[in-house]
Amino acid sequence: MSFSHLSHLECGRCGTRHDADRPQNLCEVCASPLLARYDLAAIRSSVRPADLAGRSPDLWRYHELLPVGRPEAVTTLGEGMTPLLPMARYGESIGLPRLLMKDEGLIPTGSFKARGAAVGVSRAAELGIKRLAMPTNGNAGAAWSAYGARAGLAATIVMPVDAPEITRRECVAAGADLHLVDGLISDAGRIVGELVAGSGGQVFDASTLKEPYRIEGKKTMGLEIAEQLGWRLPDVIIYPTGGGVGLIGIHKALNELRELGWISGAPPRLVAVQADGCAPIVRAFELGERESTYWPESRTVAFGINVPKAIGDFLILEALAETSGTAISVSDDELLADLREVAALEGAYVCPEGAAAFTAARRLRASGWLGEDEQVVVLNTGAGLKYPQTVPVDAPVLPVDGHLV
């Protein structure tokens, strides 16, 4: 039995087929992201959902649907199989008693970016790549630095100077070549692009969706949700959306599972959540457009979704359309209030991006778009501990002989 049933790469826009056995970036025809395709018929004839039960509790349990060809090529820190937790008290308070949270804050490096890094770095190393470079809003750089170190690859990371301080420390700890730019992730992307172009092929561009395998790691969130619910599907999945790789990946995963015959029925309605200060996908969705336009002067405390123009925006909008989903933006004040409320009611210290998804759930329930009896999964994409500035502390200081009454 093959460890992976990867067959080829396919352009997500024009459909051109590309060779999966050599390093690839964007489509050579239309410069759009490439998507990994698998021999699903071979998987269907050789693997059943029940076969997964005895496998290790990490994302590599789905190795036939992942692009790494040999088990010895896997680079892992134990990522995957994060819990799907009932959020009964918060859910009840907003009229969604069946609310669930997929908690990616418990994964290595403290965010869902570890999924993309694990698979992307593993495949890069397998294809002979020695040095990676990428722009990041923080967490992706931290994850790719850690997994690059694990695999013995060099990593050059460029992030905005305003990115969370903890993420830059993670990069340095892992030995990455870190640079800060006084600008946005788009400015970091330009710098990385120039480095790659001038490297004579010695530096590989691992930017979001400019390599095809990060999305394969992210799609395992969708595979896990389906398995954790007994190969049933929730009614709605709410996802904080910047570059949107996770949302695209979840949609891809569920389409693959449906073709395998492992799931059936209507797909979950997908919701893309953005911040009022950076909402290009929301604006495009509301206007019925197939691509977004650049959002100038973007700003939000939810730094991970501060992406003015996503290269895979057309794939995000396709996923929303195909699942009868929606897009919504929320204010920083709202998401910070819900961050505190979720922690107070559930003991879960979520990241600002995850808090934005909870705000979206509350708002969509209040508008009637979500029904009281629906099962809704919110993605918390990282640990709140990585963003300590979101919860100011003004506690009284007691004298050494002080007392409480």
Side-chain angles (χ1 to χ4, degrees), residues 48-227:
R48 300 169 301 164
D51 296 333
L52 304 180
R55 295 185 180 181
S56 60
D58 56 39
L59 64 79
W60 298 101
R61 66 197 284 110
Y62 309 112
H63 58 78
E64 290 91 351
L65 276 169
L66 293 173
V68 179
R70 298 171 294 111
E72 58 270 23
V74 168
T75 298
T76 182
L77 290 168
E79 58 287 335
M81 268 300 157
T82 55
L84 192 59
L85 300 171
M87 304 296 279
R89 296 182 68 192
Y90 180 82
E92 190 70 39
S93 75
I94 65 171
L96 291 172
R98 300 178 67 202
L99 184 67
L100 300 169
M101 176 179 70
K102 180 73 167 163
D103 192 1
E104 294 292 289
L106 302 179
I107 207 166
T109 75
S111 86
F112 75 127
K113 302 290 187 177
R115 294 180 184 269
V119 176
V121 167
S122 294
R123 186 59 175 159
E126 188 173 42
L127 292 174
I129 292 168
K130 302 298 184 184
R131 181 183 174 190
L132 305 164
M134 63 183 300
T136 176
N137 269 332
N139 279 318
W144 283 71
S145 296
Y147 282 86
R150 183 80 165 164
L153 305 186
T156 295
I157 308 295
V158 184
M159 69 172 67
V161 70
D162 291 335
E165 181 180 352
I166 290 173
T167 61
R168 73 179 71 168
R169 294 184 184 276
E170 289 179 279
C171 294
V172 172
D177 174 31
L178 174 67
H179 299 267
L180 306 177
V181 59
D182 189 11
L184 300 173
I185 190 172
S186 51
D187 302 302
R190 175 190 57 78
I191 293 169
V192 167
E194 291 174 354
L195 170 67
V196 171
S199 73
Q202 298 304 301
V203 181
F204 182 76
D205 192 340
S207 304
T208 300
L209 288 179
K210 287 188 178 180
E211 63 82 43
Y213 301 117
R214 180 190 304 207
I215 189 174
E216 297 304 290
K218 299 286 189 67
K219 83 178 183 186
T220 59
M221 291 184 291
L223 300 177
E224 288 178 17
I225 289 169
E227 184 179 4

Side-chain angles (χ1 to χ4, degrees), residues 296-379:
E297 299 180 7
S298 62
R299 183 167 294 276
T300 173
V301 296
F303 210 74
I305 55 177
N306 190 18
V307 179
K309 168 70 174 172
I311 191 172
D313 53 4
F314 68 100
L315 294 171
I316 300 169
L317 292 163
E318 284 178 10
L320 300 182
E322 290 176 8
T323 63
S324 300
T326 192
I328 182 174
S329 68
V330 303
S331 72
D332 282 0
D333 286 345
E334 287 179 296
L335 71 87
L336 289 174
D338 277 305
L339 187 153
R340 298 281 292 272
E341 187 73 0
V342 170
L345 291 177
E346 302 288 356
Y349 187 4
V350 302
C351 65
E353 297 81 10
F358 279 103
T359 299
R362 177 173 55 78
R363 292 256 308 273
L364 291 171
R365 176 67 189 102
S367 72
W369 195 86
L370 290 175
E372 182 179 14
D373 62 339
E374 291 193 289
Q375 187 172 59
V376 178
V377 174
V378 165
L379 267 294

